[in-house]
Short mmCIF file of all heavy atoms in Angstrom, two decimals:
data_model
loop_
_atom_site.label_atom_id
_atom_site.label_comp_id
_atom_site.label_asym_id
_atom_site.label_seq_id
_atom_site.Cartn_x
_atom_site.Cartn_y
_atom_site.Cartn_z
N ILE A 369 36.88 -130.54 288.68
CA ILE A 369 37.47 -130.46 287.35
C ILE A 369 37.21 -129.08 286.75
O ILE A 369 36.06 -128.72 286.47
CB ILE A 369 36.89 -131.56 286.43
CG1 ILE A 369 37.16 -132.94 287.03
CG2 ILE A 369 37.49 -131.46 285.03
CD1 ILE A 369 36.57 -134.09 286.25
N ASP A 370 38.27 -128.30 286.58
CA ASP A 370 38.15 -126.98 285.97
C ASP A 370 37.70 -127.10 284.52
O ASP A 370 37.93 -128.12 283.86
CB ASP A 370 39.50 -126.25 286.02
CG ASP A 370 39.87 -125.82 287.43
OD1 ASP A 370 38.96 -125.64 288.26
OD2 ASP A 370 41.08 -125.69 287.71
N HIS A 371 37.09 -126.04 283.99
CA HIS A 371 36.65 -125.96 282.59
C HIS A 371 35.57 -127.00 282.26
O HIS A 371 35.37 -127.34 281.09
CB HIS A 371 37.83 -126.14 281.62
CG HIS A 371 39.03 -125.33 281.96
ND1 HIS A 371 39.06 -123.96 281.82
CD2 HIS A 371 40.24 -125.69 282.46
CE1 HIS A 371 40.25 -123.51 282.21
NE2 HIS A 371 40.97 -124.53 282.61
N LEU A 395 38.18 -139.30 277.37
CA LEU A 395 38.09 -138.30 276.31
C LEU A 395 39.47 -137.99 275.72
O LEU A 395 40.48 -138.01 276.42
CB LEU A 395 37.47 -137.01 276.84
CG LEU A 395 35.99 -137.07 277.26
CD1 LEU A 395 35.57 -135.78 277.94
CD2 LEU A 395 35.11 -137.35 276.05
N LEU A 397 41.66 -135.46 272.58
CA LEU A 397 41.66 -134.18 271.86
C LEU A 397 40.77 -134.27 270.62
O LEU A 397 40.03 -133.34 270.29
CB LEU A 397 43.09 -133.80 271.48
CG LEU A 397 43.39 -132.32 271.21
CD1 LEU A 397 43.09 -131.48 272.44
CD2 LEU A 397 44.84 -132.14 270.78
N LEU A 400 37.05 -133.75 271.37
CA LEU A 400 36.59 -132.43 271.80
C LEU A 400 36.71 -131.34 270.73
O LEU A 400 35.87 -130.45 270.65
CB LEU A 400 37.36 -132.00 273.05
CG LEU A 400 37.19 -132.89 274.30
CD1 LEU A 400 38.09 -132.39 275.42
CD2 LEU A 400 35.73 -132.91 274.75
N LYS A 409 43.01 -125.14 272.18
CA LYS A 409 43.46 -124.72 273.51
C LYS A 409 42.43 -125.07 274.59
O LYS A 409 42.78 -125.62 275.64
CB LYS A 409 43.73 -123.22 273.53
CG LYS A 409 44.31 -122.73 274.85
CD LYS A 409 44.68 -121.26 274.80
CE LYS A 409 45.27 -120.83 276.15
NZ LYS A 409 45.63 -119.39 276.14
N SER A 410 41.15 -124.77 274.33
CA SER A 410 40.12 -125.05 275.33
C SER A 410 39.95 -126.55 275.52
O SER A 410 39.71 -127.02 276.65
CB SER A 410 38.79 -124.41 274.93
OG SER A 410 38.40 -124.81 273.64
N ALA A 411 40.08 -127.31 274.44
CA ALA A 411 40.01 -128.77 274.56
C ALA A 411 41.16 -129.30 275.40
O ALA A 411 40.97 -130.16 276.27
CB ALA A 411 40.02 -129.40 273.17
N GLN A 412 42.36 -128.77 275.16
CA GLN A 412 43.53 -129.21 275.91
C GLN A 412 43.42 -128.81 277.38
O GLN A 412 43.82 -129.57 278.27
CB GLN A 412 44.81 -128.62 275.30
CG GLN A 412 46.09 -129.20 275.88
CD GLN A 412 46.17 -130.70 275.73
OE1 GLN A 412 46.16 -131.22 274.61
NE2 GLN A 412 46.25 -131.42 276.85
N ASN A 413 42.86 -127.63 277.64
CA ASN A 413 42.67 -127.19 279.03
C ASN A 413 41.77 -128.16 279.80
O ASN A 413 42.05 -128.50 280.95
CB ASN A 413 42.06 -125.79 279.07
CG ASN A 413 43.05 -124.71 278.72
OD1 ASN A 413 44.27 -124.93 278.78
ND2 ASN A 413 42.57 -123.55 278.33
N LEU A 414 40.69 -128.59 279.15
CA LEU A 414 39.77 -129.53 279.81
C LEU A 414 40.44 -130.87 280.04
O LEU A 414 40.35 -131.44 281.14
CB LEU A 414 38.51 -129.71 278.96
CG LEU A 414 37.50 -130.74 279.49
CD1 LEU A 414 37.08 -130.42 280.92
CD2 LEU A 414 36.28 -130.81 278.57
N LEU A 415 41.17 -131.36 279.04
CA LEU A 415 41.85 -132.65 279.19
C LEU A 415 42.90 -132.60 280.30
O LEU A 415 43.06 -133.56 281.06
CB LEU A 415 42.48 -133.08 277.87
CG LEU A 415 41.51 -133.44 276.75
CD1 LEU A 415 42.27 -133.76 275.47
CD2 LEU A 415 40.64 -134.63 277.15
N SER A 416 43.60 -131.48 280.39
CA SER A 416 44.62 -131.32 281.44
C SER A 416 43.97 -131.31 282.83
O SER A 416 44.49 -131.90 283.78
CB SER A 416 45.41 -130.03 281.23
OG SER A 416 46.11 -130.07 280.01
N ALA A 417 42.82 -130.63 282.93
CA ALA A 417 42.10 -130.58 284.20
C ALA A 417 41.59 -131.96 284.61
O ALA A 417 41.64 -132.34 285.78
CB ALA A 417 40.94 -129.59 284.11
N ILE A 418 41.11 -132.72 283.62
CA ILE A 418 40.64 -134.08 283.90
C ILE A 418 41.79 -134.96 284.36
O ILE A 418 41.67 -135.72 285.33
CB ILE A 418 39.96 -134.69 282.64
CG1 ILE A 418 38.64 -133.96 282.35
CG2 ILE A 418 39.72 -136.18 282.82
CD1 ILE A 418 38.01 -134.32 281.03
N GLU A 419 42.92 -134.84 283.69
CA GLU A 419 44.10 -135.63 284.07
C GLU A 419 44.56 -135.29 285.48
O GLU A 419 44.89 -136.18 286.28
CB GLU A 419 45.23 -135.37 283.06
CG GLU A 419 46.47 -136.21 283.27
CD GLU A 419 46.23 -137.69 283.04
OE1 GLU A 419 45.34 -138.04 282.24
OE2 GLU A 419 46.92 -138.50 283.68
N LYS A 420 44.56 -134.01 285.79
CA LYS A 420 44.99 -133.55 287.11
C LYS A 420 44.07 -134.08 288.21
O LYS A 420 44.51 -134.36 289.33
CB LYS A 420 45.00 -132.01 287.13
CG LYS A 420 45.46 -131.40 288.44
CD LYS A 420 45.40 -129.88 288.36
CE LYS A 420 45.73 -129.23 289.71
NZ LYS A 420 45.61 -127.75 289.63
N SER A 421 42.78 -134.23 287.90
CA SER A 421 41.80 -134.63 288.92
C SER A 421 41.86 -136.12 289.24
O SER A 421 41.20 -136.58 290.17
CB SER A 421 40.39 -134.27 288.45
OG SER A 421 39.94 -135.16 287.44
N LYS A 422 42.62 -136.89 288.46
CA LYS A 422 42.65 -138.35 288.64
C LYS A 422 43.16 -138.76 290.02
O LYS A 422 42.76 -139.78 290.56
CB LYS A 422 43.50 -139.01 287.56
CG LYS A 422 42.81 -139.12 286.21
CD LYS A 422 43.68 -139.87 285.21
CE LYS A 422 42.98 -140.03 283.87
NZ LYS A 422 43.83 -140.75 282.90
#
Side-chain angles (χ1 to χ4, degrees):
I369 301 177
D370 289 334
H371 313 290
L395 293 172
L397 203 60
L400 298 176
K409 185 175 180 180
S410 55
Q412 189 58 61
N413 285 341
L414 176 56
L415 292 176
S416 297
I418 291 171
E419 185 65 29
K420 181 181 175 183
S421 75
K422 283 184 178 180

